[in-house]
Amino acid sequence: MVAPALNESMLKRAQERHLLDIRIHQLRDYAADKHRTTDDVPYGGGPGMVMKPDPIFAAVEKIRQERGAVRIIIPSPQGNLFNQTMAGTFSKEERSLIFICGHYEGMDARVKEGMPAEEVSIGDYILTGGELAAMVMIDASARLIPGVLGEPASLEEESFSSSLLEYPHYTRPVEFRGLRVPEILLSGNHQAIRTWRKQQALLNTLRKRPDLLANASLTEDEKEWVDQQQCDAIKSHS
Ligand code: ADE
């Protein structure tokens, strides 16, 4: 599941250019018995199987020997919520990140007790396992490593409007099924375009995710503009 997704497109190119090094480890390879068992029945009874702690510790210890300092992440719905800020810190992390992908409710509790690991959730829903969550976190973090996105300007653009939703984008043709590209974008007035885009991003955020505005760093003018939009919206409703 993991290899095909991480060896495609941007992440593939990033690895070819040595900006990123993703290694996938099969827990079975770290199991000590001849059947290479990684799970077992739960003590106390009940349904399902529990992932054994020993292959997980063996894998982490081997990786630590090979790679030096590590930061261990356990994808889990019980963890802190992953967000863009966390993606930024992962992208700058000096240590190797280890994502231990287990089956939710199915990992021996001594894994968390016995190693310094952070539980991280990608949202309030339950996945079948941690793999998809780890891939989401890897993708979002990797694209913030300088050079991974082809165009450095797109990251600059993103930080310029950080914590805001995107402004709308248009390409040719100038008119499509009766819908025209906003005239301002054809004006060649770069300052006016910049202001329009920022206002569109603010408006988009105000309408769809007003909660994000609390964390956005806005200038006094922008704050005033947002307040004005809210007043206008209230007036048009009454
Ligand atoms: N494993 C199962 N569900 C998950 C979630 N929402 N986030 C991270 N890991 C998970």
Side-chain angles (χ1 to χ4, degrees), residues 22-234:
I22 302 173
R23 302 192 187 181
I24 301 164
H25 301 263
Q26 292 287 0
L27 270 182
R28 270 181 178 284
D29 296 342
Y30 298 91
D33 64 316
K34 78 169 195 284
H35 299 295
R36 306 207 297 161
T37 318
T38 57
D39 56 8
D40 206 340
V41 294
Y43 273 118
M49 297 290 275
V50 176
M51 291 177 69
K52 289 161 67 64
D54 30 322
I56 299 176
F57 277 87
V60 167
E61 277 151 19
K62 178 86 189 307
I63 295 166
R64 195 181 267 143
Q65 271 169 18
E66 285 173 4
R67 309 288 294 245
V70 297
R71 177 172 178 182
I72 304 164
I73 315 295
I74 301 179
S76 157
Q78 297 181 20
N80 291 327
L81 214 48
F82 182 72
N83 61 16
Q84 193 65 13
T85 306
M86 213 186 278
T89 61
F90 285 175
S91 76
K92 295 191 192 82
E93 180 59 64
E94 295 280 326
R95 294 168 287 181
S96 293
L97 292 167
I98 299 181
F99 293 89
I100 304 176
C101 302
H103 293 265
Y104 179 53
E105 287 175 340
M107 195 185 293
D108 190 298
R110 288 166 294 186
V111 173
K112 267 175 282 172
E113 287 166 24
M115 62 173 83
E118 302 160 51
E119 287 183 289
V120 182
S121 167
I122 64 160
D124 293 335
Y125 40 79
I126 318 283
L127 302 166
T128 52
E131 291 85 355
L132 282 169
M135 289 192 279
V136 165
M137 292 189 253
I138 292 167
D139 186 89
S141 309
R143 67 185 285 287
L144 299 178
I145 296 170
V148 167
L149 293 186
E151 183 66 72
S154 46
L155 274 189
E156 273 165 40
E157 193 72 31
E158 224 169 66
S159 67
F160 145 83
S161 52
S162 61
S163 307
L164 297 181
L165 302 183
E166 288 252 311
Y167 56 77
H169 302 266
Y170 297 88
T171 186
R172 280 179 285 197
V174 78
E175 188 172 325
F176 175 72
R177 299 191 177 180
L179 301 171
R180 277 188 66 80
V181 171
E183 287 307 318
I184 184 105
L185 298 178
L186 312 174
S187 68
N189 181 340
H190 297 295
Q191 185 50 50
I193 291 171
R194 220 178 139 75
T195 306
W196 181 84
R197 283 180 166 164
K198 184 77 186 221
Q199 290 176 345
Q200 291 297 310
L202 287 168
L203 215 49
N204 221 1
T205 315
L206 189 61
R207 286 181 186 149
K208 296 178 187 162
R209 290 290 309 276
D211 57 301
L212 294 179
L213 283 174
N215 293 322
S217 48
L218 304 183
T219 66
E220 284 307 312
D221 281 355
E222 286 161 357
K223 277 185 206 150
E224 221 168 89
W225 190 84
V226 169
D227 288 344
Q228 192 56 51
Q229 297 308 306
Q230 281 172 309
C231 289
D232 292 353
I234 292 164

